[in-house]
Amino acid sequence: MRVLIVKTSSMGDVIHTFPAVEDARRNRPDVSLDWCVEEAFAGIVALHPAIATIHTVAIRRWRTSPLGRGTWREAAGLRRALRDCRYDLVVDAQGLLKSALVAKQAAAPIVGFDRSSAREPSATLFYDRRYAVPRDLHAIERTRRLFGLALGYEPDFSGLESGIMPPAGGSNFVGGKTAFLLHGTSREDKKWPVGDWIETARLLVGRGMTPVTTWSNDREKAIAEAIAQAVPQTVLVPKSPLAEIATIIGRSVLVIGADTGLTHLASAYGLPTVAVFLATEPGLTGPRGPFSSTLLAAPGGRVVPAEVVAEAERLMERQAHDLATGRH
């Protein structure tokens, strides 16, 4: 049985789908899984060994030139590629109109959330089978339930495994006991003040760790450089491809991050990960992992660096204990 997963974006949403893929791999070894994803996140999908073929879509880029010849040529190529695969089933794990339209291109039966469960009820008009999954569950659990209903098994919610490992190979920029600081995020109200990142880096150096940080745009570069200037022991990784950053994160012993996709990646790797949430509610979409923790700012309050570093130390101690006792 050949199944196509449609979950095009964002990075955090893609990573939240991995436990469902792992469930399917274990419960339905007869199923071959492919994935259709935004081109920017193809390298993230490739981290899971159960994904046989990755199809890329470029909706974000196509929107800038919807009538362009290149856009139509690429969209037609995707349609041909999906139909040539002759899928037995398509699982729209996103529940949006755009993802349903992508799923439709495969010319195969489509399953997804029902009207009360989908993020955009109009998407369900394209589905052949629809399943009710409560919306007040975490995104990971919702997706695991959807896959179980679609493929005929009951997920084991007593455990949570992403099935991914950091990519092999790597960078010459880091080594030793490193803590990756992921300060970049898409919204201003999600950003921890640069002074708090600097103080966090100082505290980590005082505990024998090497802070590492990077950037993806000019505004993030200014923050990364400010951290490195204030705390000279910080390793400043130049702007790099996503796969390179994913490798460096995987080599770290600790990750401290804002509400951003790479923080979810660290958590899915099973690294000690402290997420700092300032403006969003982590209950439904926050990082989940065996050594992951989210610190949420109270209304009108803040999360202080000493609290973050203390939580990081607690997670690292728990990981060390579990490894020593064979629990992980």
Side-chain angles (χ1 to χ4, degrees):
M1 183 177 181
R2 195 167 188 185
V3 175
L4 174 68
I5 301 165
V6 176
K7 175 79 91 162
T8 62
S9 61
S10 60
M11 190 193 306
D13 291 339
V14 168
I15 293 164
H16 285 158
T17 307
F18 285 144
V21 172
E22 190 66 3
D23 289 342
R25 183 185 70 81
R26 294 179 176 182
N27 288 278
R28 290 294 306 269
D30 59 311
V31 170
S32 173
L33 295 169
D34 294 353
W35 196 317
C36 187
V37 68
E38 273 283 342
E39 56 189 358
F41 306 127
I44 298 297
V45 171
L47 293 173
H48 202 293
I51 303 303
T53 300
I54 301 171
H55 303 277
T56 59
V57 66
I59 295 173
R60 296 180 177 185
R61 181 164 51 80
W62 293 345
R63 282 174 176 166
T64 65
S65 181
L67 301 179
R69 182 177 298 177
T71 297
W72 284 91
R73 183 173 59 250
E74 290 181 19
L78 174 65
R79 179 186 176 95
R80 286 194 301 272
L82 294 179
R83 296 196 172 197
D84 286 348
C85 288
R86 300 183 181 276
Y87 289 107
D88 299 294
L89 187 69
V90 181
V91 180
D92 180 4
Q94 199 151 14
L96 299 177
L97 184 58
K98 70 174 184 179
S99 59
L101 290 171
V102 170
K104 192 69 175 176
Q105 304 312 302
I110 305 171
V111 300
F113 298 107
D114 71 1
R115 286 187 62 85
S116 65
S117 309
R119 290 164 61 186
E120 292 181 358
S122 58
T124 66
L125 296 173
F126 296 88
Y127 301 161
D128 297 280
R129 299 202 308 271
R130 305 162 185 85
Y131 298 105
V133 179
R135 296 193 65 171
D136 59 352
L137 300 175
H138 190 280
I140 291 175
E141 185 175 348
R142 276 171 47 82
T143 309
R144 294 179 74 183
R145 288 179 183 271
L146 175 64
F147 274 51
L149 291 165
L151 298 176
Y153 60 83
E154 179 66 28
D156 179 6
F157 292 110
S158 65
L160 178 65
E161 295 290 339
S162 70
I164 67 170
M165 295 288 290
S171 166
N172 297 320
F173 290 112
V174 297
K177 193 176 178 183
T178 57
F180 210 119
L181 307 182
L182 295 169
H183 57 84
T185 188
S186 58
R187 283 169 34 190
E188 287 299 316
D189 59 351
K190 292 181 179 182
K191 294 181 178 179
W192 209 26
V194 63
D196 288 338
W197 285 111
I198 290 171
E199 178 60 20
T200 298
R202 286 197 181 108
L203 290 171
L204 292 170
V205 169
R207 286 158 174 78
M209 303 187 71
T210 300
V212 179
T213 194
T214 189
W215 73 87
S216 62
N217 57 48
D218 288 342
R219 298 188 71 176
E220 292 179 8
K221 182 180 180 181
I223 295 172
E225 289 178 340
I227 297 169
Q229 184 175 3
V231 185
Q233 297 90 339
T234 300
V235 174
L236 188 57
V237 178
K239 181 179 178 180
S240 306
L242 183 58
E244 176 76 4
I245 299 302
T247 300
I248 298 172
I249 289 173
R251 289 181 170 187
S252 303
V253 300
L254 169 69
V255 174
I256 297 173
D259 180 6
T260 184
L262 289 172
T263 304
H264 294 280
L265 180 62
S267 181
Y269 280 157
L271 297 172
T273 305
V274 181
V276 179
F277 274 56
L278 303 179
T280 45
E281 170 55 52
L284 301 181
T285 58
R288 291 281 181 91
F291 307 108
S292 177
S293 180
T294 300
L295 298 181
L296 178 64
R302 58 189 291 258
V303 177
V304 299
E307 179 185 8
V308 170
V309 174
E311 182 67 6
E313 289 183 311
R314 186 186 70 82
L315 293 173
M316 288 189 292
E317 288 172 2
R318 194 175 81 195
Q319 181 192 50
H321 176 267
D322 285 5
L323 288 172
T325 58
R327 292 179 57 189
H328 182 68

